[in-house]
Amino acid sequence: MNQKRCILLLLLTTNITAVAQSVTLPTGVKVMVVQKDFPLLKILLPGQSTNDRGIEIEFPEHVTGLNKTSNKVEHLYLVTNGDRNKRSLPVWRVQGNSLIYETELEGKIKMTATARLEADGLRYTYTLSNHSNLTYQNLQAVTCVKLYSLFSDTLLERTYVHHTNGFDLLASETPERLTMPLRQWIPCRYLVSYTWPVSSNRTEDGIKRYYKSRKADKPFIATLSHDKKWIAATYTKETGNLWTNPERSCQHADPAVDLNPGETKNLTLKTFIIKGGREQLLQFVNAEMQKN
């Protein structure tokens, strides 16, 4: 086979692989794998180009828990560690409407990560199997849902949480963010408690943290698109708090489990992608909260 034919065959094979690692609903909502070795997904709305950044999901950003033997927090995976991570490279497959990969973390925990595209959004499930002799407490697969292009909201003008009296802007208690120089606003984190007490710590790792004074009564954080025709909201059934890094317009609603030797447990969360507004979203969230 000559060199030109080899190159053409390689290009065709690469294209087929890329197409296979995506799922599209009849509505046109699509999820695709952007990075396989350091799992990164992208959600695109109907009509969005594949070149658009869309909604990017670090799947996950890190896997972290408290090692009960050493009593130290341990990063089993951290995307910013790059090739220093001690793990097997993810092995991907497509199964129905799901993008799935498996990896072995630090030779201690097998993780199967599933992103299932559903009619109302993308559900993430991390199945963690502990075959070490260690117990991990508060083990999380922290999933960073980064809202770019159609949803970006650096000043948190369209990002909401829900309280007992209804929706409120996450940053409603910080109106000065709208007029202060951007360099004074970011970097920062904005948090609202769900089950945890409201923290009094206002700085961590040199980054300012804003805490909403009232707890959320439902475990999701939501952002309207610029044209307010779509809403994206990340939800989990149980979490300590909900938060965002405004510079990324990201959403965090991260569950946690305690994992003993020999145990297998799931961490599940979901990003709703709905054409509609806050009240429509609330109906979906309430239905999800009633599931076992």
Side-chain angles (χ1 to χ4, degrees), residues 208-225:
K208 189 168 185 178
R209 278 161 165 72
Y210 298 88
Y211 290 89
K212 199 168 176 65
S213 64
R214 294 187 293 155
K215 286 187 174 183
D217 73 330
K218 295 185 186 294
F220 71 88
I221 178 171
T223 302
L224 285 166
S225 60

Side-chain angles (χ1 to χ4, degrees), residues 240-256:
N241 60 20
L242 308 157
W243 63 276
T244 183
N245 172 355
E247 195 167 7
R248 288 179 160 189
S249 299
C250 66
Q251 297 179 342
H252 279 270
D254 296 303

Side-chain angles (χ1 to χ4, degrees), residues 254-267:
D254 296 303
V257 293
D258 293 340
L259 195 65
N260 295 316
E263 284 189 328
T264 296
K265 290 184 178 179
N266 290 334
L267 294 168

Side-chain angles (χ1 to χ4, degrees), residues 118-226:
E118 301 176 346
D120 56 357
L122 187 63
R123 185 182 302 274
Y124 322 94
T125 302
Y126 301 95
T127 301
L128 302 166
S129 299
N130 185 358
H131 50 75
S132 74
N133 60 358
L134 301 170
T135 293
Y136 287 94
Q137 189 176 52
N138 197 39
L139 185 63
Q140 294 183 302
V142 174
T143 304
C144 186
V145 181
K146 299 178 288 187
L147 307 181
Y148 294 117
S149 54
L150 300 180
F151 288 94
S152 61
D153 188 23
T154 304
L155 296 181
L156 303 183
E157 297 173 281
R158 290 170 282 102
T159 296
Y160 293 85
V161 292
H162 196 277
H163 301 289
T164 53
N165 64 340
F167 281 94
D168 188 30
L169 286 170
L170 172 63
S172 63
E173 297 171 0
T174 315
E176 63 271 22
R177 75 193 188 283
L178 301 174
T179 55
M180 68 171 63
L182 192 60
R183 66 181 181 277
Q184 292 181 19
W185 169 238
I186 55 176
C188 72
R189 306 289 184 267
Y190 216 110
L191 306 92
V192 60
S193 293
Y194 180 61
T195 60
W196 290 350
V198 177
S199 176
S200 59
N201 182 15
R202 294 298 184 244
T203 305
E204 186 176 320
D205 299 327
I207 296 175
K208 189 168 185 178
R209 278 161 165 72
Y210 298 88
Y211 290 89
K212 199 168 176 65
S213 64
R214 294 187 293 155
K215 286 187 174 183
D217 73 330
K218 295 185 186 294
F220 71 88
I221 178 171
T223 302
L224 285 166
S225 60
H226 287 281

Side-chain angles (χ1 to χ4, degrees), residues 48-99:
Q48 272 191 289
S49 166
T50 55
N51 294 324
D52 199 306
R53 293 198 72 174
I55 299 172
E56 292 184 359
I57 303 106
E58 292 180 342
F59 183 50
E61 181 180 1
H62 59 92
V63 179
T64 302
L66 178 68
N67 181 326
K68 289 295 290 179
T69 299
S70 66
N71 203 34
K72 293 181 179 179
V73 173
E74 186 175 324
H75 292 301
L76 295 163
Y77 169 75
L78 183 61
V79 67
T80 54
N81 277 349
D83 292 335
R84 290 175 293 164
N85 285 293
K86 296 178 181 178
R87 48 148 194 166
S88 62
L89 287 178
V91 177
W92 289 84
R93 68 181 187 273
V94 179
Q95 185 175 310
N97 277 5
S98 297
L99 301 170

Side-chain angles (χ1 to χ4, degrees), residues 233-244:
T234 300
Y235 159 93
T236 193
K237 199 172 186 70
E238 193 74 20
T239 188
N241 60 20
L242 308 157
W243 63 276
T244 183

